[in-house]
Amino acid sequence: MEYFLDVVLPIPLERLFTYKISQEEAAILQPGMRVAVPFGKSKIYTALAYHVHSNPPIAYEAKEIYQVLDEREVVTQNQIKHWEWIAQYYMCTLGEVVRSVLPSAFLLESETLILSNKETEINEMELRDDEFLVYEALQHQTVLRIAEISDIVDKKNVLSLINALVAKGVVLQKETLYEKYKPKLIRYVKLAAEFEDETKLESLLNNFTRAPKQSQVVLSLFQLQARTKKPVPIADLEKESKTSRAIIKALVDKGVLEEYRIRTDRIQYAEDSITFKNIQLNEYQEKALSKVQQSFDQKKPILLHGVTSSGKTEVYVKLIQECLNEGKQALYLLPEIALTSQLINRLRDYFGNKVAVYHSKYSIHERVEVWNNVLSNAEKAQIVIGARSALFLPFSSLGLVVIDEEHESSFKQFDPAPRYHARDAALVLASSHGAHTILGSATPSIESMENAKKGKYGYASIDYRYGDVLMPEINLVDIKEATRKKRMKGHFSEKLIDAISEKLEDGEQIILFQNRRGFAPVVECTTCGHVAQCPNCDVSLTYHQHRNQLRCHYCGYHMALQQACLACGSATLDKKGFGTEQIQEELGQLFPEAKVGRMDLDTTRGKFAYEKIISAFESQEMDILVGTQMVTKGLDFRNVGLVGIMNADSMLNFPDYRAHEKSFQMLTQVSGRAGRTQKRGKVLIQTYNPYHQILQQVTTNNYDKMFEEQYYEREQFKYPPIVRIIKLTLKDKDFNKLNEAADWMATSLRNILNHQILGPEYPPIARIRRAYLKNILIKIPRNQSLAKTKNSIKRIEKSFNAISKYKSVRLVYNVDHI
Ligand code: ADP
Ligand code: ZN
Ligand code: ZN
C-alpha cells in the first residue's frame, strides 16, 4: 500500500499539497508535526503535516518528503481548527496563517539566512561531523543560506541538521539578533522614617557638629527635596552636597538615610523577591466579580465596563487565580506591547514566575521557549500575557481569556494576512476550549456594548475609581477665541500654560497628547503654494526637525529639507500644522527648566524603547511626556496631575464612521491617566469647537449618551455593528488598469449583491509605494449568511483572475474592516 501526506505549506495558496511517505513515516506522523519538503525546482520548505491517507493526487505525481522534523506535534489539533476558522473567516489561506503565527524558527526554508552564534562557547568535540562542517564554514562566511549549507554537507535535506544546530546554540537565524534590555538602575535616598520625628531629627543634627560633611549631606537633601518636590537620586545628592558616595553610604549604613528604588525594574525580576501579594477587593469590585461569575456560570462572555483606575486589573487577578486553581491556563491579551511590561510586574506580584510574556518584539528564541512551555503546559507559562500574537500559542487547557482595553482598534491586524481581529478571534478560541472570556474597558466599543445590551454578553460595571480617588476634572479650552484675541503662545493657550506651571511647581507630572508625530506635517512655499510630496505615495512629506528631513509616514521615503522651494525656487518656506516634535520644542522655550520626553512612533523604534521611556517617566526623570495615542492606553502612572490635549479637532474631523467613537475613547482614556492617586487630576482639552457633542460627552463622562447617538447614526447610515463590512482593496501600478479592474469588480459584485456595494473609490491616500489603490466596500446585513456571501465573492474573484490583463492587479480582503 502507498501512503501520502497532505501538508500545509506556509505560502498564500488555497490548497493543501500531497507528498509521498513511507509506511514507517505514516505510522509515526501526527498532524501538527513538521516535515521538510521539496517544492518547485529547488526550494525546501518546512510544512505542517495535516492528514495521512492513501489516495494519490490526481493532477500530479507526488514527490517524497525529505524528512520528518519532530518527534511530537508542535501544533495542536485545536490550533489547526482555530487557524482554519481564521483563514475562512478573514478570507485568506491556511498557509498565510501558519506563516504569520508560527515562530519563524519553526519554519526554516531554503532561503533562511543562518549565522554563527558568537554568544555561546562551542565545544567543537561535541559536534557531529556535518555539524562541524557548518560551524567551520560560518567561521569564514558571515551568513549562509540553508541551500548553501546543503552544498557544504552535500545533502539535500539539512533542516533537521540546522534545527539541531539552532537548539545547541551554534547558529542563529538572521532575525534573531536583538538587544538585551538592561534596566536603568536609578537609586534614590531619603531620610530614614525614624527622623521624621522632630526631636530625633534635632538631636541627629546636633550630633553632626563633629561630622560636617555628613551634616552637609543631610542639609543638601532637605534643600533638594524642598526645591524639586521629587525623589532625590543619589547622584544628585552627591553633586548638590559636593561630597562623595562614601559619605552618603556611611549615612545609609548608620541608618540615617535610606536607599530605595521607585517601582522595581521591569523585565528583570528577582525570584526571591516574590511576595505573592494578596488583595482585598472593594465593594464595587466584589459586585462586579460576582456578576462576572454569574455570567461565566451561564457560559457567556462578559463585558466589564469600569471607569479608568477602577481596579479592573485586580478583578482579572481574582479570575486568573480561580482559573489556575482549576489547573487551567490563562491568556491575558493587551492591545499594545508597550503595556506588557507594566502589567507583567503587577501580575508577578501575585503569580510569581507562572507568568510568561509573548509578543513580536521578543527574540525568536524567547518565542520558541514560550511556545514550548505552553505546549507542555509548563508551570512557567500558566499565564501568558501578550499582544495579538499570543492568541496563537498551543494552549492545551485554556480556562480563561482576558481581553483588556477591548475597544482598541490595534487589536485588528491590518497587514499582512491574516487580517484578523484579536478580540473576535480570541472569543472563538475561548469557546473552542470551553474557556471563559472577559472583555474589559473604560470605554467599550459600540459592538461589544451592543452585544451586552442584547444579552449575548453579560455586563458588569464599576463606576468609581479605586480608593475614593475622584474622576479627573475635565475642562475645555476654546482656542478659536484665544487665537482671535492673539492669546496663544505657539500651540499653547494661557490656561494650559498656567496649569503646566502650577503642576511643575507642585512637583507633579504632566502628559501632553498630540495626535500627530513629527514636527510640522507639511512645509509649504508661501510664494507658490507648493508642498513637497512623496514620489511613491499620494501624501505630503512630513517635516522632522530632529533630523532636518522630510519624511513619508507611509513608505519611509525621506530627503533633506530643501533651502528653497522645489517648484519656484523661493526661500519662503513655511511650516504648517504641528506634531509631537514641535510641541516638545515649544515646551523647551516656555519651560526651559522642565525635563521633557516624547513617546511616539519615532522614539519607540528600538526593541525596548517603550520600556525606557515609560520607566524614565515613572521614576520621575521627566516632568512632561509628550506623546501620540501611545500615551492614551492603559498605563498606570502614579504622579500625573495634569493631562493636556493639544487639539481635539483633527481626531473628531477624521473622515471615518468611527471617528467620533474613537475620539471619545481616546480622550477619555488619556484623561484617565491623570490623578490616579489621592489628589484630583486635571485635564484640559484645547479645541476650536467646544460645543461638539463628543467633547461634551467626554467632559461629563457620559458614555451612555455617546453610545446612544453613535448607535443611532450607525443605524441611519448602515455601518457596523448594524451591518458587516468587507473592504476589498485593489492595487496596481498602472492607473488606468486599476480603474478598469475596479469597475469590472464592482459591476460584477453589484450583479449579485446590488445595493450592498459602495465604490470603487480612492482612499484618502490613493497611492502608496508606487501602487494606486481603490476600495470597494461590501456591506452585509446581519441576517444574510456571511459564508454564502463570501462564496459569491470568491466566485467572482475566480472569474476576475481568469482575465489575463488583470493579472498584475492585487486583491486584498479586509473582513470586519475598522
Ligand atoms: P484600571 O485597570 O481599571 O484602570 P487598575 O487596575 O490599574 O485600574 O487600578 C488602579 C489602581 O488602584 C492600581 O494602582 C491598583 O493597584 C489599585 N487597586 C485597585 N484595586 C485595588 C484593591 N482591591 N486593593 C489595592 N489596590 C487596588
Ligand atoms: Zn514655491
Ligand atoms: Zn511614501
Side-chain angles (χ1 to χ4, degrees):
M1 188 145 107
E2 282 191 310
Y3 292 93
F4 297 94
L5 174 70
D6 291 344
V7 302
V8 185
L9 282 172
I11 54 176
L13 289 175
E14 203 82 59
R15 33 181 286 251
L16 299 172
F17 290 81
T18 306
Y19 287 84
K20 219 166 141 164
I21 50 174
S22 67
Q23 187 172 1
E24 296 77 51
E25 286 166 338
I28 55 164
L29 266 169
Q30 296 293 327
M33 286 183 181
R34 292 169 306 152
V35 290
V37 298
F39 188 75
K41 265 206 197 98
S42 61
K43 284 213 164 103
I44 303 172
Y45 274 116
T46 299
L48 216 51
Y50 186 85
H51 175 51
V52 177
H53 57 87
S54 48
N55 312 314
I58 301 164
Y60 57 96
E61 173 93 21
K63 291 184 190 167
E64 283 178 21
I65 66 165
Y66 281 145
Q67 201 168 21
V68 180
L69 294 173
D70 296 309
E71 283 168 20
R72 56 164 295 191
E73 54 175 32
V74 293
V75 171
T76 67
Q77 285 302 83
N78 212 319
Q79 280 177 294
I80 293 180
K81 258 198 245 140
H82 186 227
W83 300 353
E84 284 180 316
W85 176 85
I86 288 185
Q88 186 270 330
Y89 187 87
Y90 292 104
M91 299 178 83
C92 66
T93 72
L94 186 54
E96 284 174 304
V97 181
V98 167
R99 158 137 262 149
S100 121
V101 308
L102 269 183
S104 54
F106 281 153
L107 290 177
L108 297 177
E109 57 186 50
S110 39
E111 302 305 306
T112 309
L113 295 175
I114 297 293
L115 18 127
S116 74
N117 184 358
K118 299 263 172 351
E119 301 237 318
T120 38
E121 287 270 328
I122 313 286
N123 181 356
E124 295 177 12
M125 303 304 292
E126 279 176 11
L127 299 178
R128 293 191 342 230
D129 288 354
D130 49 0
E131 290 175 348
F132 181 76
L133 282 177
V134 179
Y135 168 73
E136 204 195 37
L138 281 170
Q139 306 307 308
H140 305 294
Q141 251 169 308
T142 41
V143 287
L144 287 174
R145 258 173 229 294
I146 288 196
E148 292 169 326
I149 293 177
S150 220
D151 290 340
I152 292 169
V153 296
D154 196 21
K155 261 201 265 176
K156 255 206 178 138
N157 72 60
V158 290
L159 290 197
S160 71
L161 167 63
I162 312 283
N163 278 326
L165 285 169
V166 170
K168 286 185 182 172
V170 179
V171 301
L172 295 172
Q173 261 170 282
K174 186 70 189 291
E175 307 94 309
T176 52
L177 294 177
Y178 66 102
E179 308 165 30
K180 272 238 161 65
Y181 178 63
K182 293 209 187 62
K184 217 165 127 193
L185 304 179
I186 294 197
R187 295 182 301 165
Y188 296 88
V189 272
K190 61 181 176 196
L191 201 63
E194 164 184 359
F195 298 104
E196 269 160 29
D197 181 315
E198 272 188 30
T199 48
K200 284 207 172 144
L201 181 61
E202 226 182 285
S203 73
L204 172 74
L205 292 176
N206 288 336
N207 269 337
F208 273 151
T209 46
R210 272 158 291 127
K213 281 201 173 156
Q214 295 192 355
S215 159
Q216 181 58 36
V217 168
V218 174
L219 291 176
S220 299
L221 180 64
F222 287 154
Q223 279 159 5
L224 271 174
Q225 264 167 350
R227 197 163 72 225
T228 65
K229 298 197 179 57
K230 275 192 286 194
V232 177
I234 291 194
D236 289 7
L237 181 59
E238 192 183 336
K239 236 190 265 155
E240 177 83 12
S241 62
K242 301 194 182 66
T243 54
S244 67
R245 278 269 156 134
I247 292 171
I248 299 175
K249 186 168 179 300
L251 283 167
V252 171
D253 291 344
K254 264 190 176 171
V256 175
L257 299 183
E258 257 171 39
E259 200 183 302
Y260 67 105
R261 295 191 186 131
I262 294 182
R263 246 202 204 180
T264 43
D265 331 306
R266 354 203 113 262
I267 304 290
Q268 207 183 49
Y269 198 84
E271 267 178 57
D272 54 4
S273 67
I274 298 167
T275 46
F276 295 105
K277 223 160 85 178
N278 203 358
I279 31 156
Q280 203 73 44
L281 297 186
N282 68 18
E283 60 177 306
Y284 309 109
Q285 289 170 317
E286 279 295 352
K287 244 198 207 140
L289 181 66
S290 78
K291 279 201 120 177
V292 172
Q293 272 148 345
Q294 275 170 28
S295 191
F296 284 178
D297 288 343
Q298 298 168 17
K299 308 234 175 305
K300 267 194 215 172
I302 183 152
L303 175 64
L304 175 59
H305 182 186
V307 297
T308 53
S309 206
S310 57
K312 295 183 286 294
T313 318
E314 320 294 331
V315 175
Y316 305 148
V317 165
K318 292 284 181 204
L319 295 169
I320 293 171
Q321 188 60 61
E322 279 168 31
C323 166
L324 296 195
N325 291 347
E326 286 174 21
K328 295 193 166 163
Q329 300 162 305
L331 168 64
Y332 193 132
L333 286 178
L334 286 158
E336 186 82 57
I337 295 168
L339 298 176
T340 53
S341 54
Q342 256 199 353
L343 184 69
I344 190 158
N345 283 343
R346 280 178 76 173
L347 290 190
R348 279 189 174 155
D349 280 344
Y350 305 110
F351 304 110
N353 283 335
K354 289 186 182 146
V355 193
V357 185
Y358 188 83
H359 61 58
S360 58
K361 282 205 176 182
Y362 266 37
S363 75
I364 294 181
H365 284 283
E366 286 167 301
R367 271 185 278 165
V368 168
E369 214 178 296
V370 176
W371 185 283
N372 288 332
N373 284 337
V374 174
L375 185 64
S376 64
N377 201 356
E379 183 76 7
K380 278 192 254 186
Q382 291 302 299
I383 306 160
V384 180
I385 63 180
R388 294 192 293 257
S389 57
L391 182 68
F392 299 108
L393 286 165
F395 298 101
S396 50
S397 64
L398 194 59
L400 176 72
V401 179
V402 176
I403 305 164
D404 200 9
E405 314 289 350
E406 68 82 27
H407 63 278
E408 276 290 343
S409 51
S410 49
F411 274 127
K412 181 86 197 296
Q413 163 129 327
F414 179 65
D415 226 9
R419 295 176 176 80
Y420 63 100
H421 198 301
R423 177 193 60 213
D424 301 343
L427 283 157
V428 173
L429 177 75
S431 104
S432 79
H433 277 270
H436 299 310
T437 313
I438 179 164
L439 303 101
S441 175
T443 52
S445 62
I446 301 284
E447 57 268 34
S448 292
M449 189 49 114
E450 187 204 34
N451 281 328
K453 286 193 190 285
K454 289 193 168 154
K456 204 173 146 196
Y457 297 166
Y459 179 79
S461 69
I462 310 179
D463 301 333
Y464 303 96
R465 289 184 145 191
Y466 180 79
D468 299 325
V469 174
L470 289 171
M471 291 302 284
E473 173 197 339
I474 308 178
N475 287 305
L476 299 169
V477 182
D478 185 347
I479 47 175
K480 193 177 192 178
E481 185 70 7
T483 310
R484 200 173 53 81
K485 292 186 180 154
K486 300 213 172 359
R487 282 255 168 93
M488 297 285 287
K489 284 193 183 140
H491 296 92
F492 289 79
S493 60
E494 280 175 346
K495 274 198 186 136
L496 184 55
I497 292 174
D498 291 347
I500 294 174
S501 314
E502 190 186 312
K503 294 295 168 185
L504 286 175
E505 249 162 60
D506 293 349
E508 286 178 52
Q509 288 171 292
I510 297 143
I511 289 179
L512 295 179
F513 170 61
Q514 165 55 27
N515 208 17
R516 248 190 219 145
R517 64 197 165 103
F519 187 78
V522 296
V523 174
E524 191 185 68
C525 168
T526 54
T527 308
C528 76
H530 174 80
V531 173
Q533 301 288 317
C534 174
N536 309 320
C537 313
D538 261 4
V539 289
S540 313
L541 294 172
T542 302
Y543 176 49
H544 285 237
Q545 188 200 33
H546 171 62
R547 299 196 194 129
N548 208 32
Q549 272 181 345
L550 295 174
R551 298 187 75 89
C552 170
H553 287 181
Y554 287 84
C555 73
Y557 173 88
H558 52 87
M559 61 190 249
L561 178 67
Q562 309 295 305
Q563 295 305 314
C565 169
L566 290 173
C568 75
S570 150
T572 56
L573 296 176
D574 183 33
K575 294 161 195 131
K576 288 213 157 168
F578 67 112
T580 42
E581 214 178 318
Q582 188 171 11
I583 300 300
Q584 193 181 16
E585 186 183 283
E586 290 181 11
L587 280 169
Q589 284 156 12
L590 291 167
F591 304 98
E593 305 270 282
K595 287 188 208 122
V596 182
R598 180 157 64 90
M599 182 150 91
D600 57 28
L601 211 61
D602 295 316
T603 59
T604 53
R605 281 195 208 286
K607 280 270 147 76
F608 291 102
Y610 283 119
E611 276 86 350
K612 285 178 195 156
I613 296 172
I614 292 172
S615 73
F617 191 62
E618 211 169 49
S619 60
Q620 302 182 30
E621 287 164 53
M622 284 175 214
D623 304 304
I624 307 177
L625 180 63
V626 183
T628 55
Q629 55 261 40
M630 282 182 196
V631 299
T632 66
K633 302 181 182 171
L635 292 164
D636 186 26
F637 295 120
R638 312 273 71 202
N639 189 44
V640 175
L642 171 71
V643 167
I645 288 128
M646 299 309 298
N647 180 330
D649 304 294
S650 58
M651 250 185 297
L652 286 165
N653 299 331
F654 201 74
D656 170 25
Y657 73 94
R658 277 178 196 269
H660 287 179
E661 177 193 356
K662 275 193 189 163
S663 302
F664 179 89
Q665 289 162 340
M666 224 185 258
L667 293 171
T668 305
Q669 291 288 345
V670 71
S671 303
R673 299 316 113 209
R676 292 172 74 91
T677 39
Q678 286 317 314
K679 225 172 131 187
R680 188 171 187 195
K682 203 170 171 173
V683 179
L684 289 177
I685 302 179
Q686 300 194 136
T687 172
Y688 283 93
N689 194 357
Y691 299 103
H692 196 291
Q693 88 265 22
I694 286 289
L695 297 181
Q696 295 298 326
Q697 289 152 9
V698 170
T699 46
T700 53
N701 200 16
N702 197 342
Y703 176 89
D704 295 341
K705 187 91 185 132
M706 186 283 294
F707 177 85
E708 195 184 298
E709 284 187 12
Q710 293 307 312
Y711 197 80
Y712 177 77
E713 283 191 14
R714 307 278 173 94
E715 276 179 322
Q716 292 303 299
F717 300 105
K718 300 269 174 297
Y719 277 108
I722 310 305
V723 299
R724 289 196 156 91
I725 288 191
I726 298 176
K727 185 175 81 172
L728 171 57
T729 304
L730 295 92
K731 300 187 189 178
D732 198 272
K733 298 210 162 131
D734 180 333
F735 180 73
N736 292 327
K737 194 199 283 181
L738 174 80
N739 279 315
E740 211 184 289
D743 287 342
W744 186 99
M745 199 70 189
T747 310
S748 313
L749 287 167
R750 279 204 175 88
N751 281 339
I752 1 174
L753 302 164
N754 55 50
H755 56 280
Q756 299 169 19
I757 308 299
L758 293 184
E761 250 174 70
Y762 298 110
I765 293 154
R767 193 173 62 122
I768 293 179
R769 295 171 201 272
R770 295 181 183 276
Y772 293 93
L773 311 178
K774 230 166 177 182
N775 290 335
I776 299 172
L777 277 196
I778 305 160
K779 289 182 171 180
I780 305 165
R782 283 267 151 179
N783 56 9
Q784 179 176 319
S785 157
L786 188 61
K788 275 191 196 149
T789 312
K790 284 183 200 154
N791 283 339
S792 312
I793 298 171
K794 282 279 177 193
R795 270 200 301 279
I796 293 170
E797 183 187 333
K798 263 207 183 117
S799 321
F800 181 85
N801 287 338
I803 304 171
S804 62
K805 62 177 167 178
Y806 297 151
K807 219 174 151 195
S808 63
V809 180
R810 272 199 61 205
L811 298 180
V812 175
Y813 294 102
N814 191 329
V815 179
D816 293 342
H817 153 69
I818 53 176

